[in-house]
C-alpha cells in the first residue's frame, strides 16, 4: 500500500510498504477513507521531535474496518470508525482513570509518533489499530468524514481547551493562536455562553475565519496583544485565555493577559522541555492554570451529537483536500501557511 514516510527534516515521501495485518487478537485493520495533517506533525517534519526515518506519519484518520482479530467484539468488518490519536488499552490504571493518553500498556503511544511503543501512522491507505474494541468508535452514516474526522484529535482538543477554561456565561474569552486547534477551541468556547471572544494571531486569513466564527480579531502585527486585550476590556483583561500555540511567548502572554483570578487553559504542544514562566505574575494574580494533552477518547462520544446538529462545525476549517500522493505538498503549504492553508485533508 501507499503511505507517507518521514525521511528527514522537511522531507516526507509517498512510499510503498506492506499492508498492515492483524498481529494481536485485539487488533483491527482499517482501510482509511480520510486522514489529515496535524500541527503536531510539523514538530516531526521540522526534526524537533525525533522519529526514525521511514516512520509512517499521521495520527488523524478514519475509515472502514477491513479485518478484525478473533477477540474483537464491539466492531466488525464494514463498520465506519474513527479512532483517537493516542493509543490506549482501555484497561490499565490510567485508562480506568480516564487518562488514556497516559496508558501504561502502550507507553503513552501516539500513532506515527515517538512516544512509547511505535505504531505506524494514519497517512496511509490502511492502518493497524490496536485494542480495537476500546479505540474504534462507530460513526453514523449521516456524519460525513469531513465532520467526523476531527473528533479523534483537534476537535476534542479544542473543546477540552475551552472546557478546561471554565468559561461561564457572560465571560470574555481570548484565544491565542488561530491554527486548527485554536479555531476549534474558539467554536467550542461559544457553547459555554461567553459574551465576547477575541482571537489572537498574525495570519490575516486565519484571523478572518476566526471573525467569521464569531471572534473579534486581535492582530499581533498591530502591537502588544496584552495591551490590545486590556484596551478592549476596560483594562481588566479576559476572564479566560485559551492558549493553542505551544511556545514560550504566547504562553507568557496568556498569563499576562488574563484578569486577576482568571483561568489560562493551554493545549499547545510544547517541544521545549522547559520554557520561561511569569511565575510571580501568575502567583499574585491568583490565576488557575490548566494544561495538558487531550484525552480525546473521552470526547468522541459526547461531542458527536454537537457535530450532528451543527453546534460544532469542524469542517469549516478545512481549506484543502488532497490525494494522499500530494501529502508532501500538503505538509509544505500547511507549514508555510501558503495558499491560505488552515487544515489539509488527505484522501487515499
Ligand atoms: Zn494532532
Ligand atoms: Zn491503558
Amino acid at each position: 500500500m501507499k503511505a507517507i514516510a518521514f525521511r528527514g527534516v522537511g522531507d516526507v515521501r509517498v512510499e510503498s510498504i506492506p499492508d498492515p495485518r492483524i498481529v494481536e487478537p485485539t487488533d483491527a485493520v482499517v482501510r482509511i477513507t480520510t486522514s489529515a495533517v496535524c500541527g503536531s506533525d510539523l514538530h516531526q517534519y521540522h526534526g524537533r521531535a525525533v522519529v526514525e526515518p521511514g516512520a509512517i506519519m499521521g495520527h488523524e484518520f478514519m475509515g472502514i474496518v477491513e479485518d478484525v482479530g478473533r477477540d474483537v467484539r464491539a466492531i466488525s468488518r464494514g463498520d465506519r470508525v474513527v479512532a483517537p490519536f493516542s493509543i490506549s488499552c482501555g484497561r490499565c490504571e490510567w485508562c480506568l482513570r480516564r487518562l488514556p493518553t497516559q496508558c501504561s500498556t502502550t507507553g503513552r503511544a501516539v500513532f506515527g509518533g515517538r512516544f512509547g511503543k511505535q505504531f505506524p501512522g494514519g497517512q496511509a491507505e490502511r492502518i493497524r489499530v490496536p485494542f480495537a474494541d476500546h479505540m474504534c468508535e462507530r460513526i453514523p452514516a449521516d456524519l460525513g468524514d469531513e465532520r467526523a474526522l476531527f473528533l479523534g484529535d483537534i476537535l476534542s482538543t479544542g473543546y477540552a481547551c475551552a472546557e478546561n477554561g471554565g468559561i461561564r456565561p457572560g465571560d470574555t474569552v481570548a484565544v491565542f493562536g488561530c491554527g486548527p486547534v485554536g479555531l476549534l477551541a474558539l467554536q467550542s468556547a461559544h457553547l459555554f455562553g461567553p459574551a465576547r471572544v477575541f482571537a489572537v494571531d498574525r495570519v490575516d486569513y486565519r484571523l478572518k475565519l476566526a471573525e467569521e466564527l464569531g471572534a473579534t480579531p486581535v492582530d499581533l502585527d498591530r502591537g502588544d496583544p496584552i495591551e490590545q486585550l486590556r484596551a478592549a476590556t476596560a483594562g481588566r483583561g479576559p476572564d479566560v485565555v485559551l492558549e493553542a500555540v505551544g511556545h514560550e511567548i504566547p504562553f507568557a502572554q496568556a498569563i499576562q493577559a488574563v484578569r486577576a483570578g482568571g483561568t489560562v487553559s493551554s493545549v499547545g504542544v510544547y517541544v521545549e522541555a522547559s520554557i520561561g514562566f511569569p511565575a510571580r505574575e501568575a502567583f499574585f494574580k491568583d490565576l488557575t492554570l490548566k494544561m495538558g494533552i487531550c484525552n480525546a477518547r473521552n470526547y468522541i462520544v459526547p461531542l458527536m451529537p454537537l457535530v450532528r446538529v451543527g453546534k460544532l462545525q469542524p469542517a469549516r476549517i478545512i481549506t484543502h483536500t488532497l490525494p494522499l500522493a500530494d501529502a508532501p505538498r500538503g505538509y509544505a503549504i500547511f507549514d508555510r501557511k501558503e495558499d491560505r492553508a488552515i487544515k489539509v485533508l488527505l484522501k487515499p
Side-chain angles (χ1 to χ4, degrees):
M1 69 166 185
K2 297 275 186 275
I4 305 307
F6 175 80
R7 282 294 165 196
V9 174
D11 183 7
V12 293
R13 297 183 200 169
V14 186
E15 297 189 358
S16 288
I17 61 165
D19 277 4
R21 52 184 187 81
I22 302 292
V23 178
E24 302 290 339
T26 48
D27 288 349
V29 169
V30 172
R31 178 172 63 77
I32 293 167
T33 51
T34 309
S35 63
V37 183
C38 180
S40 57
D41 292 335
L42 296 181
H43 290 330
Q44 299 179 0
Y45 186 68
H46 285 294
R48 293 182 299 236
V50 182
V51 280
E52 292 292 310
I56 304 306
M57 301 283 289
H59 53 258
E60 290 181 285
F61 61 90
M62 59 178 299
I64 295 167
V65 177
E66 204 167 64
D67 199 4
V68 292
R70 65 175 186 276
D71 291 348
V72 173
R73 298 280 177 276
I75 56 162
S76 45
R77 284 187 193 91
D79 283 348
R80 200 164 144 260
V81 296
V82 69
F85 66 89
S86 80
I87 307 166
S88 54
C89 71
R91 290 180 162 178
C92 71
E93 177 191 349
W94 306 105
C95 285
L96 295 177
R97 286 179 183 273
R98 290 179 60 78
L99 295 167
T101 55
Q102 311 301 319
C103 177
S104 55
T105 308
T106 69
R108 305 197 293 174
V110 172
F111 287 106
R114 63 191 165 124
F115 300 113
K117 295 178 183 171
Q118 301 294 301
F119 293 94
Q123 290 163 8
E125 290 180 308
R126 287 177 178 76
I127 190 167
R128 174 189 158 222
V129 180
F131 307 108
D133 275 343
H134 165 67
M135 288 286 292
C136 292
E137 188 62 43
R138 277 199 296 265
I139 299 295
D142 67 338
L143 204 60
D145 282 21
E146 285 68 19
R147 296 167 73 206
L149 175 65
F150 303 152
L151 288 164
D153 184 2
I154 57 170
L155 178 59
S156 292
T157 300
Y159 181 90
C161 183
E163 183 183 61
N164 288 339
I167 302 163
R168 298 171 63 93
D171 273 355
T172 296
V173 177
V175 182
F176 277 66
C178 294
V181 169
L183 291 167
L184 295 177
L186 188 172
Q187 272 197 16
S188 302
H190 282 295
L191 296 173
F192 297 91
R196 288 191 296 172
V197 180
F198 293 92
V200 183
D201 206 298
R202 62 160 40 88
V203 181
D204 56 351
Y205 67 88
R206 294 184 172 192
L207 283 172
K208 184 165 179 296
L209 179 56
E211 192 169 15
E212 287 167 20
L213 295 173
T216 304
V218 173
D219 188 340
L220 289 165
D221 286 338
R222 291 201 185 147
D224 182 0
I226 303 158
E227 292 304 320
Q228 292 189 65
L229 288 167
R230 281 204 189 120
T233 54
R236 69 196 282 282
D239 301 287
V240 176
V241 177
L242 309 179
E243 189 281 329
V245 185
H247 289 300
E248 179 169 332
I249 290 171
F251 183 70
Q253 288 173 335
I255 289 169
Q256 290 159 341
V258 77
R259 73 157 165 85
T263 299
V264 172
S265 171
S266 171
V267 291
V269 179
Y270 296 86
V271 281
E272 301 92 346
S274 67
I275 59 169
F277 173 73
R280 182 188 301 267
E281 180 165 357
F283 174 82
F284 282 109
K285 260 188 175 169
D286 237 346
L287 62 76
T288 298
L289 171 62
K290 183 81 175 74
M291 66 192 302
I293 187 168
C294 176
N295 287 284
R297 184 69 190 91
N298 301 345
Y299 289 91
I300 293 175
V301 172
L303 295 189
M304 207 180 301
L306 292 163
V307 178
R308 279 181 100 173
V309 301
K311 291 196 173 185
L312 287 171
Q313 299 180 357
R316 289 187 66 179
I317 68 166
I318 298 168
T319 52
H320 294 74
T321 301
L322 304 177
L324 182 66
D326 283 349
R329 184 168 78 88
Y331 271 82
I333 60 171
F334 179 49
D335 179 39
R336 297 180 205 142
K337 303 182 181 72
E338 290 173 356
D339 199 23
R340 302 175 77 81
I342 297 178
K343 189 67 182 177
V344 178
L345 300 193
L346 300 171
K347 291 280 188 181

